[in-house]
Amino acid sequence: MSVCVPGQASAARTSWPAGSLAGMLSEHSRSALLSLGTERVFNSGKVIIKEQDQSTHVILLCQAVVKITSSLENGRFALLGIKINGDVIGEMAALSGGPRCATVTTCGKAIVRIIPRAEFLDYLKRFPDAHFSLTCMVMHRLREGNQRRIDFTGYPSIVRLARILEELSHSYGHISGETLLLNVGLTQRDLGALVGTEEDTTRKELGKLKDQGVIRIGYRSITILDRSLLYKIAHEHD
């Protein structure tokens, strides 16, 4: 995993996930992004952005995995997504000036850069390609959210689970030979929140995928053994 150190800001594009902001930028723009703000280190389970908070800074994830949640009226929470190295979080409040719309919690030790709103907005003005890449990233998140809402109402839980695993593997998976490791620290409860099922249902559906030879389950990790079969399960109802 890449560490966000200003002296190493010219790291190759391939060291950042392709869908992250850092991964989408040119070397020049990325180097400038990695020099913004100040570095902070947080322990696992630390809330680094709180829903409805009035802060407006942006956080660049350097070596981190975080989960983004939103509280529901019944006292439970909805897991909106996860973000890792190269992603920025908190950009909506920085751009709009409104309150935070979600809570962000670290999953493991996190190295980040805290970027004041004015500094981040100035960066976007100086680097138009970064502004364009940020817009593309935000639009991608909106499309993901819309697709999940459609999936919740139109597909069985095992299909939704397969689609989430496929989506996560494309963005955050690590290829090892013929297999793909998804090691982002999500619990089965977290996966259930993404899929829209109870933890017990998620456990059963994971068991079905395991029995079919699609996945291998580890501690807060999943190895995808058969990507073609996962794709077939995820899209056979289309």
Side-chain angles (χ1 to χ4, degrees), residues 158 161 165 205-215 233:
I158 194 166
L161 176 59
L165 291 177
E205 301 295 24
L206 285 170
K208 292 178 183 177
L209 293 177
K210 178 183 176 182
D211 292 342
Q212 294 180 59
V214 180
I215 63 173
I233 295 171

Side-chain angles (χ1 to χ4, degrees), residues 13-237:
R13 177 187 295 270
T14 53
S15 65
W16 300 96
S20 69
L21 180 62
M24 298 168 66
L25 298 176
S26 66
E27 261 194 60
H28 182 53
S29 297
R30 181 169 55 248
S31 178
L33 175 66
L34 301 187
S35 69
L36 300 178
T38 57
E39 184 180 287
R40 291 283 305 277
V41 179
F42 295 102
N43 292 326
S44 179
K46 176 68 174 179
V47 172
I48 56 176
I49 288 180
K50 190 172 183 179
E51 189 173 1
Q52 295 303 314
D53 190 73
Q54 296 294 324
S55 62
T56 57
H57 61 271
V58 173
I59 300 178
L60 171 63
L61 305 180
C62 301
Q63 186 171 325
V65 177
V66 302
K67 59 184 178 181
I68 304 171
T69 60
S70 181
S71 57
L72 304 176
E73 292 182 359
N74 61 6
R76 303 181 67 179
F77 74 95
L79 180 60
L80 305 180
I82 63 169
K83 297 298 171 188
I84 66 170
N85 301 355
D87 283 324
V88 293
I89 53 176
E91 77 285 349
M92 298 298 288
L95 293 173
S96 69
R100 303 292 191 183
C101 59
T103 294
V104 181
T105 308
T106 60
C107 303
K109 180 181 177 181
I111 301 175
V112 306
R113 295 194 73 81
I114 307 295
I115 307 172
R117 177 176 185 255
E119 189 176 354
F120 186 69
L121 295 181
D122 177 69
Y123 165 76
L124 295 179
K125 291 177 182 178
R126 291 187 292 113
F127 295 89
D129 66 313
H131 200 303
F132 177 76
S133 295
L134 180 67
T135 300
C136 290
M137 187 187 71
V138 171
M139 295 301 294
H140 178 68
R141 289 180 186 175
L142 292 175
R143 283 196 299 270
E144 283 182 347
N146 288 337
Q147 185 60 54
R148 283 182 191 164
R149 282 191 287 271
I150 294 171
D151 290 349
F152 285 169
T153 59
Y155 296 99
S157 57
I158 194 166
V159 173
R160 303 201 304 271
L161 176 59
R163 291 189 173 193
I164 288 296
L165 291 177
E166 186 185 37
E167 174 188 317
L168 293 175
S169 68
H170 281 314
S171 299
Y172 308 122
H174 300 280
I175 296 176
S176 177
E178 296 298 317
T179 66
L180 193 151
L181 175 63
L182 183 60
N183 187 22
V184 292
L186 290 179
T187 65
Q188 292 184 4
R189 182 187 180 192
D190 291 335
L191 277 174
L194 279 175
V195 175
T197 60
E198 296 292 337
E199 185 176 353
D200 286 345
T201 301
T202 304
R203 186 179 299 110
K204 291 176 182 178
E205 301 295 24
L206 285 170
K208 292 178 183 177
L209 293 177
K210 178 183 176 182
D211 292 342
Q212 294 180 59
V214 180
I215 63 173
R216 181 171 62 242
I217 303 173
Y219 177 69
R220 294 198 175 189
S221 69
I222 293 175
T223 301
I224 299 173
L225 305 174
D226 192 331
R227 282 176 277 175
S228 62
L229 184 52
L230 179 67
Y231 180 87
K232 180 179 179 181
I233 295 171
H235 299 283
E236 64 183 352
H237 288 77

